[in-house]
Amino acid sequence: MHTNVYTISNVNLKNSGYLKLCATTLKNGGIGAFPTETVYGLGANIFNAQAIEKIFIAKKRPMDNPLIAHISNVEMLHSIVTSVNKKSQLLIESFWPGPLTIIFNKKDEVPNIASGNLKTIGVRLPNNDIARELISLCDFPIVAPSANLSGKPSPTRFSHVEFDLKGSIDFIIDGEKSIFGLESTIIDCSNPTIAPVLLRPGSITVSMIQKVIGHIEISTHLLNRSDVPVSPGMKYKHYSPKATVIVVVDFKKLITLAYKHLNNGEKIGILTSHNKDYINSNFIILNINGGKNLYHSFRKFDFLKVNTIFVEGIKETNDNLAILNRLKKAASLYIT
Ligand code: TXA
Ligand code: MG
């Protein structure tokens, strides 16, 4: 399959013929990748079940893992959800456009393949001009998971999408790198009789949300108290590079361990907030930049054929949940 690549900048967006071509492709049942402020997404028309199936095939994604709907304005929400309760409304007013996905009860018009057969659908209004203009040209919500092969780190740059999906999707928009570099926060407010539940931590933190709607529960799965996933996506291994990932909280311990592996003939990578990037043949240091560079670094380490990645762990607080969650999903060993 031929994949069209379109370089689009935020300047002159409204006149971009390329963006119109992308919208036409989606209207005709095609699929394509576009930038968002969190990670790149792989989109299809939410009302076209056949187009959505192509996403699952291209990504090799399990069919029961639901997708997130992206809208370009709040009115569009009403075409896919049955109602908006008070807490959801407050979250919308505070955090949209932005990296917060809210779970709603879905309308029957939304095909079951979009929601992994759930009665609910996650929705967000992205804070990215290219994404919003594309949705608005389509005039329907675009369902989009992250535009990576299933199991690989989410793509935060055009080159990541190109590496994983070129040849298996209709187009890729080459936009800027994602500002946040981690997937959106997901909160379930769909049952107004219980406290809202955080399903996936992200850049919109627990304390930011609690300031707006009061107490929320953190999914027991995130707290490691239960093995039963609440959100289907939680049961799949995610975000892992090919190299073995070892998280070490104590930086001195990390360095000692890294040298041990280096002396055993391994190529090693260190991901830290302490140092600037440094690359030599067997020893590579990359700066994590508050999580923004996590996925990019994982991919770069794999590209450079690193055997073991040592990641400097961070203290566990409610506001650090996003990065901790991604590290725990990627790591085979977590040393305190
Ligand atoms: O930042 C993001 O959210 C990116 C960009 C492209 O918007 N998208 C993204 O999608 O990360 P994806 O498919 O890689 O992750 C979506 C997660 C899955 O783990 C899925 O299980 C969960 O959202 N999810 C979607 N709909 C849900 C629902 N109705 N109930 C519970 N979880 C849901
Ligand atoms: Mg994903």
Side-chain angles (χ1 to χ4, degrees):
M1 177 185 218
H2 176 72
T3 301
N4 289 305
V5 171
Y6 302 115
T7 303
I8 300 179
S9 79
N10 285 336
V11 191
N12 230 348
L13 197 60
K14 297 263 176 207
N15 296 323
S16 167
Y18 287 157
L19 212 49
K20 288 182 188 129
L21 283 175
C22 295
T24 305
T25 302
L26 296 181
K27 283 179 191 171
N28 291 334
I31 59 171
F34 58 95
T36 88
E37 79 279 32
T38 57
V39 300
Y40 273 68
L42 174 59
N45 175 356
I46 193 169
F47 300 117
N48 185 334
Q50 275 177 338
I52 297 173
E53 191 180 3
K54 293 181 193 169
I55 290 182
F56 286 91
I57 293 167
K59 271 187 63 101
K60 301 189 168 69
R61 180 178 175 103
M63 295 297 288
D64 65 348
N65 195 359
L67 309 180
I68 292 174
H70 297 70
I71 54 176
S72 56
N73 56 57
V74 178
E75 291 79 70
M76 221 182 224
L77 180 63
H78 301 285
S79 64
I80 52 173
V81 312
T82 55
S83 61
V84 178
N85 58 41
K86 178 100 189 294
K87 285 185 179 162
S88 304
Q89 183 59 38
L90 287 169
L91 290 174
I92 289 171
E93 283 161 18
S94 304
F95 300 115
W96 281 5
L100 180 71
T101 296
I102 306 174
I103 308 286
F104 298 91
N105 292 306
K106 77 171 186 74
K107 279 193 168 160
D108 290 341
E109 285 84 344
V110 176
N112 287 330
I113 188 172
S115 64
N117 280 320
L118 298 174
K119 298 235 169 301
T120 52
I121 181 92
V123 187
R124 79 182 195 93
L125 176 53
N127 193 8
N128 176 289
D129 290 339
I130 295 176
R132 278 208 307 269
E133 186 61 20
L134 177 66
I135 303 163
S136 133
L137 286 170
C138 287
D139 205 24
F140 47 70
I142 295 179
V143 273
S146 49
N148 53 289
L149 282 173
S150 226
K152 290 239 235 155
S154 289
T156 57
R157 299 175 184 213
F158 158 73
S159 58
H160 303 162
V161 184
E162 189 185 34
F163 189 78
D164 279 12
L165 295 173
K166 197 168 179 187
S168 38
I169 62 179
D170 295 298
F171 68 83
I172 308 174
I173 295 177
D174 178 359
E176 282 171 5
K177 62 180 178 189
S178 302
I179 298 169
F180 289 102
L182 290 178
E183 306 85 347
S184 62
T185 304
I186 304 182
I187 185 147
D188 188 353
C189 297
S190 63
N191 183 349
T193 63
I194 57 168
V197 185
L198 181 84
L199 299 182
R200 180 173 72 184
S203 306
I204 306 289
T205 63
V206 172
S207 47
M208 286 161 80
I209 294 173
Q210 294 197 140
K211 265 189 204 137
V212 177
I213 56 169
H215 175 72
I216 64 169
E217 295 287 331
I218 296 170
S219 165
T220 48
H221 187 80
L222 294 174
L223 298 172
N224 280 339
R225 282 196 209 122
S226 150
D227 284 323
V228 186
V230 183
S231 163
M234 290 173 173
K235 71 184 181 208
Y236 300 111
K237 194 172 187 275
H238 268 120
Y239 325 119
S240 12
K242 280 197 206 106
T244 305
V245 176
I246 300 179
V247 179
V248 191
V249 176
D250 182 316
F251 195 64
K252 270 195 199 145
K253 240 191 225 175
L254 183 152
I255 294 296
T256 313
L257 209 58
Y259 270 108
K260 236 188 200 166
H261 282 248
L262 186 70
N263 292 334
N264 282 342
E266 277 187 31
K267 187 165 185 174
I268 63 152
I270 294 180
L271 194 53
T272 168
S273 53
H274 276 92
N275 301 68
K276 284 196 182 144
D277 290 2
Y278 168 84
I279 299 184
N280 84 14
S281 52
N282 290 319
F283 190 83
I284 296 143
I285 301 177
L286 298 176
N287 193 291
I288 195 164
N289 193 11
K292 290 187 181 78
N293 279 345
L294 179 70
Y295 293 146
H296 176 61
S297 306
F298 278 171
R299 282 177 181 264
K300 191 159 175 178
F301 284 134
D302 272 351
F303 182 76
L304 295 169
K305 301 209 165 18
V306 160
N307 302 103
T308 308
I309 303 168
F310 293 90
V311 187
E312 178 196 353
I314 43 169
K315 242 174 77 192
E316 193 152 345
T317 68
N318 268 356
D319 287 341
N320 278 337
L321 286 179
I323 177 107
L324 278 167
N325 167 258
R326 275 35 164 218
L327 286 180
K328 281 184 180 166
K329 285 201 166 202
S332 32
L333 201 59
Y334 201 100
I335 304 170
T336 48

